[in-house]
Amino acid sequence: MKAAVSLGDLVARGLVEAAEAPALLPVEQSFRIRLSGAMQGAIATRDDPVARQFIPSVQELDIKPDESGDPIGDEVHSPVKGLTHRYPDRVILHVTKTCEVYCRFCFRREAVGDEGHLSQDEIIAALDYVSVNPAIREVILTGGDPLVLSPRRIKDLVERIGAISTVDTLRIHTRVPVVAPERMTEALVSAFETRLTVILVLHANHAAEFTDAARAGLRAMQRAGIMLLSQSVLLRGVNDSLPALEELFREMLRCGVKPYYLHHCDLAKGVSHFRTTIADGMALMRGLRGKLAGPLIPTYVIDIAGGFGKVPITPDYVVAGATPGEWRITDWRGGVHDYRDPHCTTDAQSVQTILQKA
Ligand SMILES: *Cc1c(COP(=O)(O)O)cnc(C)c1O
Ligand code: SF4
């Protein structure tokens, strides 16, 4: 099936009613539409958890005052075009702005969708920055979706990054293995033959996105020695229930993918209908703990607006008691236990000491 790239295509494929289309025109003008063949095939009804992620809605025109064009602050820490250097030991490289699908909740929705990839000269300039900054140990390819590039271009990138002796790890943030599994060819898998440790971080949000072709592609990557992790976005009406998250993480592990991050939905423009509260997210994380095996449980994180980075949101299992070294700890069933830290001096001081030594 061909990708649907316009409102007209969505009407023709029966994914949008003709009568709804005029009201959606301003949405199409603001945020690009693209729905890959595989994801059209994964939609059972127009209102199901797959459809909701990709089919435009008039709610996207409702932009809240706190929402921004750069919610995670990519631009705040960009020393060279296409590169974001927020943390000392790793950089992200936006190699392209295109994707196989345009997610209606995308945190980079103002930046993605333009045609064109980073030029060869721009890639060389970005990698020059990496080679003169030896504290950088990892290059993370993102976009858009880096796996829309041809295997030949990817192989070239992998070789260039592998040639920087101070870099140990190459990471790829992608939705392609699930939304366009036909791209997971042998040529693509072999493009990642390198001395580097390669980590593929798969973005998927619902078990219904996984097809047999996706499972096969992920297994092929795993057999090639690539570490498979995931990131998901917590989305209202898509996966904000215990059964939906449980099925998603079980499906991932069946494909050899370790759930890594569950993102709180960012403050991108026009996505408030997808956003849960933080309290809901914490309750869901609490519900997963103990119910699911440890390797199935991701870290729930929020990206602080303005480019301050990701922070884990943890249910308050461990709270300070009346005196230093006294803790109240809640187990997965809700039972509360007192704990006395046998090594405690004064906690506030020891934390300061640890951070100062870093
Ligand atoms: C998310 C992100 C990373 C990766 O963070 P990890 O916690 O290592 O997964 C790196 N750089 C930027 C700018 C990011 O937004
Ligand atoms: S695949 Fe990623 S970058 Fe592309 S639209 Fe979806 S969330 Fe945004």
Side-chain angles (χ1 to χ4, degrees):
M1 214 177 321
K2 271 185 66 180
V5 298
S6 65
L7 262 183
D9 287 352
L10 294 176
V11 172
R13 317 258 161 107
L15 293 167
V16 166
E17 296 279 10
E20 292 170 311
L24 290 171
L25 270 173
V27 182
E28 180 178 41
Q29 277 151 15
S30 305
F31 305 112
R32 276 277 282 274
I33 292 172
R34 188 179 166 94
L35 185 41
S36 65
M39 285 303 96
Q40 290 173 61
I43 292 175
T45 68
R46 257 186 293 154
D47 195 31
D48 72 16
V50 180
R52 284 177 184 206
Q53 296 181 59
F54 305 117
I55 296 180
S57 148
V58 288
Q59 290 167 294
E60 292 171 50
L61 299 171
D62 176 16
I63 294 166
K64 303 287 187 201
D66 289 338
E67 294 178 341
S68 119
D70 180 21
I72 73 165
D74 279 335
E75 296 298 326
V76 181
H77 302 284
S78 183
V80 193
K81 186 177 172 196
L83 189 121
T84 307
H85 190 186
R86 175 186 298 151
Y87 303 108
D89 75 335
R90 55 213 190 273
V91 292
I92 58 179
L93 185 58
H94 303 267
V95 287
T96 175
K97 290 179 173 173
T98 54
C99 302
E100 277 285 347
V101 288
Y102 290 113
C103 310
R104 307 319 298 174
F105 49 83
C106 176
F107 63 124
R108 294 204 179 107
R109 59 192 330 217
E110 315 269 319
V112 299
D114 289 344
E115 295 300 338
H117 310 314
L118 222 54
S119 74
Q120 198 70 344
D121 285 348
E122 289 163 343
I123 285 177
I124 289 169
L127 294 180
D128 280 347
Y129 175 86
V130 175
S131 22
V132 299
N133 286 280
I136 301 168
R137 315 304 288 270
E138 178 175 20
V139 175
I140 303 171
L141 303 182
T142 184
D145 196 319
L147 295 192
V148 304
L149 299 182
S150 69
R152 187 185 54 78
R153 293 207 55 182
I154 291 174
K155 192 170 166 24
D156 178 70
L157 258 169
V158 172
E159 278 166 9
R160 286 178 190 279
I161 297 165
I164 306 172
S165 62
T166 41
V167 173
D168 305 321
T169 308
L170 169 66
R171 201 191 317 180
I172 310 114
H173 282 180
T174 179
R175 210 156 170 25
V176 156
V178 156
V179 300
E182 68 281 2
R183 283 188 177 274
M184 306 296 286
T185 56
E186 257 183 68
L188 180 70
V189 174
S190 62
F192 290 102
E193 277 165 21
T194 167
R195 68 167 182 90
L196 299 161
T197 294
V198 181
I199 307 177
L200 182 146
V201 181
L202 171 73
H203 170 191
N205 304 315
H206 197 279
E209 294 167 29
F210 288 75
T211 55
D212 285 344
R215 293 185 189 102
L218 287 164
R219 283 293 181 194
M221 295 296 260
Q222 193 192 35
R223 275 196 303 274
I226 297 171
M227 186 189 299
L228 303 182
L229 304 176
S230 73
Q231 48 184 343
S232 307
V233 186
L234 182 60
L235 296 168
R236 186 138 64 95
V238 174
N239 60 14
D240 62 334
S241 72
L242 282 177
L245 290 176
E246 175 176 351
E247 268 184 65
L248 170 64
F249 299 142
R250 289 199 191 283
E251 178 62 64
M252 285 176 172
L253 214 69
R254 273 197 289 273
C255 298
V257 180
K258 154 83 185 99
Y260 173 49
Y261 276 156
L262 176 66
H263 292 271
H264 188 69
C265 188
D266 289 313
L267 291 164
K269 284 187 188 166
V271 307
S272 63
H273 53 299
F274 282 116
R275 210 172 293 120
T276 68
T277 64
I278 287 180
D280 287 342
M282 280 166 63
L284 288 164
M285 289 307 295
R286 191 183 275 267
L288 294 176
R289 176 62 61 185
K291 191 165 183 278
L292 305 195
L296 288 164
I297 301 182
T299 304
Y300 177 38
V301 290
I302 187 163
D303 232 295
I304 309 172
F308 297 99
K310 294 179 201 46
V311 174
I313 306 176
T314 45
D316 45 0
Y317 293 113
V318 183
V319 295
T323 54
E326 249 179 53
W327 299 95
R328 310 217 77 191
I329 304 184
T330 307
D331 68 35
W332 68 282
R333 284 201 177 88
V336 180
H337 311 270
D338 286 323
Y339 182 85
R340 234 213 100 71
D341 191 341
H343 303 293
C344 177
T345 49
T346 45
D347 294 284
Q349 263 177 22
S350 57
V351 170
Q352 281 309 322
T353 318
I354 288 169
L355 291 180
Q356 270 158 18
K357 279 186 195 156

